[in-house]
Amino acid sequence: MTARHGTVIVGASIGGFTTAESLRRGGYEGRITVVGEEPHLPYHRPPLSKQILAGEWTHDDAAIAPVETISALGIDLVLGTRATGLDTGRRVVHTTEGELRFDSLVIATGVSARRLGQRSPLAGLHTLRTLDDATGLTADLAGAARVLVAGAGVLGSEIAAGLVKRGLAVTLVGRSRSIRFGQVGALLSPRLADLHEKNGVHLRLGLHVVRLLGTDRVAGAVLSDGSEVAADVVVAAAGSSPRVEWLAGSGLRIADGLWCDSAGRAAKDIYAVGDVARRPAASGTGSTRVEHQQNAIEQALAVAGTISTGFPHSPDIVPFFWSELYGTRIQAYGRFNGASTLEVVAGDAAEGKFVGLALCGSTAVGVVGWNLPRAFREARAQFTSGSPDIGERQFVP
Amino acid sequence: MKIEVNQQGCVGSGQCVLAADELFDQDDDGIVILLRDHAGPGLRDSAQRAASLCPARAITLSD
Ligand SMILES: Cc1cc2nc3c(=O)[nH]c(=O)nc-3n(C[C@H](O)[C@H](O)[C@H](O)COP(=O)(O)OP(=O)(O)OC[C@H]3O[C@@H](n4cnc5c(N)ncnc54)[C@H](O)[C@@H]3O)c2cc1C
Ligand code: SF4
């Protein structure tokens, strides 16, 4: 690839930054421009709901790379600038600061937090997706005693745990009767519910917020069973929407994410990585969009390889994620669709440390680690050796 | 090649051990343990792979 080639990357978070860095490390000599709407240098989102919410880390601890490393890469990092449109014919991205011409374009705009349907914005109502959200939320918690978290998935669970660490009284409301934990689904629900309750969280499952109370500032919420929960702060962790609004009219296929092929190509010379990217499912039917850090990194590495070599890189990326609740490290690797049972293969569930295999019939489709990270890694390695399609493999402990 | 790890940032994924078990291990909490702080020519590629796959970017390499 010659020095005259130019790559524009939209989104300056883990997916966008990793693409830029990997292009350079791989010897790409062209110009690299990374456009990011947020004013901050690239930072990790996972600590926002963990160490940062709990008040254990400063913002600097969450930096993706030190300033010197970023400068040494020779990329143009254009922060505080939003992409507003794409002209695929002229190969131009429109931004709030003008036009950017590209030879290759990488779209890494992630997702935004869905808000609770609310006509006029109430003070005390928060979501948690960005560093600014975290700053706003933690500032608001200073005078609060009771917090309601709406949404009992991974994010809502982590937020509840972080708030408990800060000494707040927490009510966690979840629409489903079980706690659905990312790709693991309901498999861990009883254990998660137990963990929350042991730590003093008031769990309200099978319910949702129908109305918020308060005039200027939130005072609580009415739930779907008619009950009222008093709260000084409400945090919505009720899902996310892909950031594709700026691609309207571009001709790219948009429906719950930006559609691309297994090498991340949405069109000729246009790629998508990370939370925004919808790709064909490994099973061959349907498509998936994965919202995990590891997935964003692996897709970014592959797209950088495709751009710099010209050969499509389509690795089979098996979803992996981790979470931490009240000091319990939860890890999951695999595609859990259809899994209905969890078979403990290492450790002891009663002691709060185990590795489980998620079974779909008699076939293992995923591995779950609960406070047993080394054994989790060993179990997971058995899947990766040999066929990459763990869905087809029987696990032999 | 010099290798450094940031144990505070490590999330215990074990990705580094899967990529290079000659260089990395994990303690009982899953936190990375550096087995050697230098990678010779034979281990450079796997060290690079471990660093680029680390979800917390807790591994730094320098020449
Ligand atoms: C609180 C929280 C905790 C998490 N914890 C975990 C965890 O423990 N484990 C795990 O695996 N994953 C976790 N995740 C998910 C993980 O952070 C994401 O998968 C990852 O950040 C995806 O990276 P990305 O680069 O695709 O998108 P994002 O990180 O969403 O970045 C997209 C960037 O693009 C910018 N952008 C959007 N539109 C435009 C535009 N038009 N112009 C310019 N810039 C734009 C956005 O402002 C943003 O900075 C967590 C996420 C959150 C929010
Ligand atoms: S890959 Fe990174 S996060 Fe995972 S164990 Fe190694 S150093 Fe820690």
Side-chain angles (χ1 to χ4, degrees):
Chain A
M1 209 56 66
T2 69
R4 288 184 26 220
H5 194 270
T7 296
V8 170
I9 300 170
V10 184
S13 182
I14 192 72
F17 181 75
T18 305
T19 310
E21 179 186 54
S22 177
L23 275 171
R24 270 302 176 249
R25 296 254 154 93
Y28 178 82
E29 290 176 353
R31 183 178 183 135
I32 302 175
T33 310
V34 183
V35 189
E37 169 192 52
E38 294 182 72
H40 311 288
L41 285 171
Y43 61 88
H44 288 289
R45 272 172 230 287
L48 296 180
S49 51
K50 304 178 185 73
Q51 296 91 337
I52 288 183
L53 179 60
E56 299 162 354
W57 278 19
T58 65
H59 294 175
D60 289 345
D61 294 324
I64 280 182
V67 184
E68 314 83 69
T69 308
I70 300 176
S71 330
L73 287 173
I75 57 179
D76 297 330
L77 195 53
V78 188
L79 299 175
T81 301
R82 186 162 45 86
T84 52
L86 167 65
D87 184 333
T88 55
R90 286 177 54 224
R91 295 185 169 227
V92 158
V93 173
H94 301 284
T95 79
T96 44
E97 304 293 322
E99 289 187 351
L100 286 170
R101 230 200 60 75
F102 64 84
D103 296 299
S104 295
L105 172 67
V106 181
I107 294 166
T109 44
V111 299
S112 59
R114 231 179 260 146
R115 286 163 198 281
L116 290 180
Q118 184 70 19
R119 260 162 288 129
S120 51
L122 278 182
L125 178 58
H126 297 265
T127 53
L128 183 56
R129 179 74 198 173
T130 67
L131 198 46
D132 290 347
D133 291 343
T135 306
L137 172 60
T138 45
D140 214 13
L141 291 174
R146 298 154 306 180
V147 185
L148 183 153
V149 180
V154 180
L155 184 58
S157 288
E158 287 191 0
I159 293 171
L163 295 170
V164 164
K165 259 195 197 166
R166 296 178 74 107
L168 294 153
V170 181
T171 303
L172 180 59
V173 178
R175 210 176 256 276
S176 165
R177 288 199 178 275
S178 51
I179 297 181
R180 305 194 64 84
F181 211 63
Q183 84 222 52
V184 181
L187 282 180
L188 292 171
S189 183
R191 288 187 177 87
L192 291 166
D194 196 46
L195 199 54
H196 281 307
E197 279 169 348
K198 277 205 180 102
N199 283 281
V201 168
H202 194 205
L203 256 189
R204 305 292 308 273
L205 296 178
L207 298 172
H208 60 274
V209 171
V210 289
R211 192 161 55 85
L212 292 170
L213 300 170
T215 39
D216 300 325
R217 198 185 159 87
V218 74
V222 180
L223 305 186
S224 43
D225 62 351
S227 61
E228 285 187 9
V229 179
D232 313 304
V233 167
V234 172
V235 189
S240 54
S241 328
R243 292 289 309 271
V244 290
E245 71 287 347
W246 66 283
L247 295 168
S250 64
L252 299 182
R253 183 167 178 210
I254 295 162
D256 188 24
L258 174 56
W259 286 61
C260 34
D261 68 10
S262 58
R265 289 172 298 198
K268 187 172 171 352
D269 299 321
I270 300 178
Y271 306 83
V273 301
D275 287 11
V276 76
R278 179 164 284 285
R279 294 189 173 197
S283 61
T285 43
S287 64
T288 54
R289 197 168 59 68
V290 177
E291 294 186 18
H292 301 322
Q293 177 105 345
Q294 188 75 42
N295 175 72
I297 292 174
E298 293 190 37
Q299 290 189 345
L301 298 176
V303 161
T306 301
I307 293 174
S308 45
T309 63
F311 293 102
H313 289 42
S314 309
D316 176 36
I317 303 170
V318 178
F320 161 76
F321 91 100
W322 77 93
S323 176
E324 209 191 301
L325 299 178
Y326 314 101
T328 293
R329 195 186 294 288
I330 303 164
Q331 299 170 297
Y333 177 80
R335 299 188 174 96
F336 290 74
N337 310 14
S340 52
T341 47
L342 197 62
E343 184 187 315
V344 173
V345 292
D348 185 348
E351 283 174 22
K353 281 176 186 287
F354 69 92
V355 173
L357 280 185
L359 300 174
C360 183
S362 61
T363 306
V365 294
V367 192
V368 173
W370 184 281
N371 251 342
L372 212 51
R374 289 172 55 110
F376 167 80
R377 184 196 75 225
E378 282 155 15
R380 164 192 165 162
Q382 308 230 15
F383 278 134
T384 31
S385 61
S387 159
D389 186 357
I390 70 166
E392 301 299 316
R393 274 166 56 87
Q394 184 83 34
F395 180 80
V396 190
Chain B
M1 178 185 273
K2 191 163 170 271
I3 310 174
E4 285 168 277
V5 294
N6 166 8
Q7 291 182 319
Q8 180 191 254
C10 171
V11 298
S13 71
Q15 211 69 251
C16 53
V17 189
L18 294 171
D21 59 4
E22 306 90 336
L23 300 172
F24 305 99
D25 197 356
Q26 290 173 281
D27 68 14
D28 287 341
D29 294 324
I31 300 305
V32 62
I33 301 170
L34 193 55
L35 300 177
R36 302 190 209 173
D37 58 8
H38 274 84
L43 288 175
R44 286 180 84 100
D45 284 356
S46 40
Q48 193 71 62
R49 196 169 158 67
S52 60
L53 284 176
C54 171
R57 299 178 53 99
I59 300 169
T60 314
L61 307 176
S62 48
D63 280 312

